[in-house]
Amino acid sequence: MSFVICLAALGFLMFVAYRGYSVILFAPIAAMGAVLLTDPSAVPPIFTGLFMERMVIFVKLYFPVFLLGAVFGKVIELSGFSKSIVSAVIGVVGRERAMLSIVAVCCLLTYGGVSLFVVVFAVYPFAAEMFRQGNIPKRLIPGTIALGAFTATMDSFPGTPQIQNIIPTTFFKTTTWAAPWLGTIGGLFILTVGLIYLDWRRRAAANAGEGYGTGHINEPEPISKEALPNPILALTPLLLVLVVNFIFTSLIPKYYGATSEVALVAGTKPIVQQVSSVLAIWAVEGALVIGILFVVAFGWKQVTAKFATGSQQAIAGSLLASLNTASEYGFGAVIAALPGFLVIRDVLTAIPNPLVNIAVSVTVLAGITGSASGGMSIALAAMADQFVAMANAAHIPLEVLHRVASMASGGMDTLPHNGAVITLLNVTGLTHRQSYKDIFAITVIKTSSVFVVIALYYLTGLV
């Protein structure tokens, strides 16, 4: 019965997320419902002492990253840099290679620190125009954007400042540059196989005589021909975020040491911070701050004209995204404390290989919650110590564990109830029936890449 209670709580959260209800509201309801069925008297202490405590811990650690990432994406948009980047990439790759151009643009923006949701809005007008000119079915746009924005540069390539690559750092004491060879090869595998699949879909549609189509909704207005910033200038803040992130990752431990102790007033108790647990977070936050300042400095006129409204939108979006994931983090902590979770843990423990174990655990929970960061947070909050112990026993570097967990989180997370998928379809004016088949194919390719990386590690020892 305790096992059924756990499954019921997970199933309920998955159902309400699929139906579009707020996870912030229903994650505590699902968690406390499970506690109520287990021990009614435990509901108040578990809610305050476990659910809320873990939720607050998540916000304390990661909210600045969500906030700075959202503001960075907004100033990139307001300054016109995003339009300049898109136009430049299309000019280099060629309008006749619409799919490759859109994937390349999405990769550049997300690897440079722009939020996935911002990328969808920024790239869609250009994708629609290019697909229309190339007479490629519009229904293939969501799969193309998903390949560029939701895969390799989200959690595979080393150094990516996306939250899916940051969360494992606090559990494994790693950095965002963990396992660079495995991450790079895995990311290239995803992009290569994904582009082959999308091109096959395009050719099949052309052979069947299917074009862009008519009667679509949410069609964007024609791209205006206004003067855009120099593309080199526009690309600079994206490159700056990556470079500064790398530099700070190296310099912060040298400056602060293993532990930082600060007392602003002499004679008072110092504030002690273990630097290794927040190194990656500090590095990314510092890099994003410098990126924002660069964009504001070089796009002052355009940014300041709409910054008040734009920053409010960015802050609202970052609050929603961070609290959604924090609620799922608190939910995972409660589920892990239930007797029924011992059954789930024992089943997963039956998988003897630590890398396969963490890959399956993370991607299954990401699929259930419809969130890469949420599913990974639940899995690591509940089983990180177990994963670390298994990896140490097998002499597997924690950097490999980080990369596998990060990549696995972006595997089955893009099931139909995923928020990014729903947003992508809404923005493009398409339905699950029209376009989800291709998103799911990218999801399968992304999931398989995790096991390719695991096999590669055991065959070569590459990290």
Side-chain angles (χ1 to χ4, degrees):
M1 187 61 188
S2 60
F3 174 64
V4 172
I5 290 172
C6 278
L7 289 184
L10 288 167
F12 175 73
L13 185 61
M14 181 178 178
F15 172 76
V16 295
Y18 178 79
R19 298 289 296 177
Y21 293 102
S22 172
V23 172
I24 299 172
L25 173 63
F26 281 98
I29 290 176
M32 293 307 104
V35 175
L36 181 68
L37 294 173
T38 303
D39 181 0
S41 66
V43 171
I46 291 293
F47 176 73
T48 303
L50 184 57
F51 181 89
M52 289 304 301
E53 181 179 338
R54 293 300 181 90
M55 185 175 177
V56 169
I57 288 172
F58 186 92
V59 172
K60 182 185 78 170
L61 286 173
Y62 303 116
F63 174 67
V65 177
F66 280 94
L67 176 62
L68 292 171
V71 173
F72 180 64
K74 181 54 68 174
V75 296
I76 287 280
E77 176 190 331
L78 295 177
S79 63
F81 284 13
S82 60
K83 284 187 177 181
S84 177
I85 293 167
V86 174
S87 298
V89 172
I90 290 171
V92 171
V93 178
R95 289 186 173 273
E96 68 279 5
R97 301 182 183 90
M99 289 179 162
L100 177 58
S101 296
I102 296 304
V103 169
V105 168
C106 292
C107 285
L108 271 174
L109 292 173
T110 50
Y111 200 34
V114 180
S115 164
L116 310 178
F117 292 93
V118 174
V119 170
V120 171
F121 285 97
V123 172
Y124 168 57
F126 293 90
E129 182 173 289
M130 293 181 68
F131 275 53
R132 191 185 304 112
Q133 291 178 2
N135 204 29
I136 302 171
K138 183 183 180 181
R139 60 182 175 81
L140 297 180
I141 290 178
T144 304
I145 293 178
L147 176 62
F150 301 168
T151 59
T153 52
M154 184 179 83
D155 53 40
S156 301
F157 286 162
T160 175
Q162 299 296 335
I163 194 67
Q164 293 81 3
N165 189 40
I166 297 173
I167 290 175
T169 64
T170 57
F171 292 95
F172 304 136
K173 305 300 185 291
T174 50
T175 72
T176 56
W177 300 89
W181 283 108
L182 292 178
T184 300
I185 295 171
L188 291 175
F189 171 85
I190 298 163
L191 294 175
T192 301
V193 178
L195 283 168
I196 291 172
Y197 167 81
L198 289 173
D199 189 62
W200 169 69
R201 293 284 286 162
R202 179 192 62 79
R203 288 186 285 105
N207 292 336
E210 181 184 359
Y212 183 78
T214 58
H216 297 302
I217 62 173
N218 286 13
E219 283 293 278
E221 296 180 2
I223 304 294
S224 59
K225 302 296 182 181
E226 78 266 24
L228 296 173
N230 185 290
I232 296 177
L233 175 65
L235 282 167
T236 301
L238 305 184
L239 180 62
L240 194 62
V241 168
L242 284 173
V243 172
V244 174
N245 179 17
F246 181 80
I247 293 172
F248 281 177
T249 300
S250 174
L251 292 183
I252 288 174
K254 295 178 181 177
Y255 182 81
Y256 287 101
T259 305
S260 170
E261 295 188 15
V262 178
L264 297 178
V265 179
T268 60
K269 183 179 180 181
I271 297 171
V272 180
Q273 175 63 60
Q274 295 295 324
V275 175
S276 60
S277 63
V278 293
L279 169 60
I281 297 174
W282 284 3
V284 170
E285 288 171 355
L288 288 171
V289 167
I290 291 176
I292 291 168
L293 293 176
F294 180 92
V295 178
V296 172
F298 286 90
W300 177 263
K301 184 178 179 180
Q302 297 87 343
V303 172
T304 54
K306 298 181 179 179
F307 186 73
T309 302
S311 60
Q312 288 177 359
Q313 294 171 348
I315 292 168
S318 65
L319 279 168
L320 183 62
S322 60
L323 287 178
N324 269 329
T325 310
S327 292
E328 291 169 340
Y329 187 71
F331 170 84
V334 172
I335 295 300
L338 295 173
F341 189 77
L342 295 175
V343 179
I344 299 174
R345 189 185 65 186
D346 291 343
V347 170
L348 293 174
T349 305
I351 302 174
N353 187 288
L355 296 182
V356 175
N357 191 318
I358 194 171
V360 172
S361 302
V362 171
T363 201
V364 166
L365 287 170
I368 289 172
T369 59
S371 167
S373 54
M376 179 164 50
S377 296
I378 291 173
L380 297 185
M383 296 178 285
D385 291 341
Q386 172 187 321
F387 295 145
V388 170
M390 292 177 68
N392 288 336
H395 305 291
I396 296 172
L398 295 186
E399 287 79 7
V400 178
L401 209 62
H402 169 131
R403 187 56 54 206
V404 169
S406 182
M407 291 182 66
S409 74
M412 297 306 292
D413 71 308
T414 43
L415 292 179
H417 58 296
N418 173 268
V421 170
I422 293 170
T423 299
L424 176 57
L425 293 174
N426 287 338
V427 169
T428 55
L430 295 162
T431 65
H432 281 80
R433 178 174 294 181
Q434 290 172 303
S435 295
Y436 184 72
K437 177 180 179 180
D438 299 303
I439 296 175
F440 182 70
I442 300 302
T443 297
V444 172
I445 293 169
K446 179 69 173 68
T447 305
S448 65
S449 71
V450 182
F451 298 96
V452 170
V453 164
I454 292 173
L456 181 65
Y457 169 72
Y458 282 118
L459 288 172
T460 66
L462 274 175
V463 176

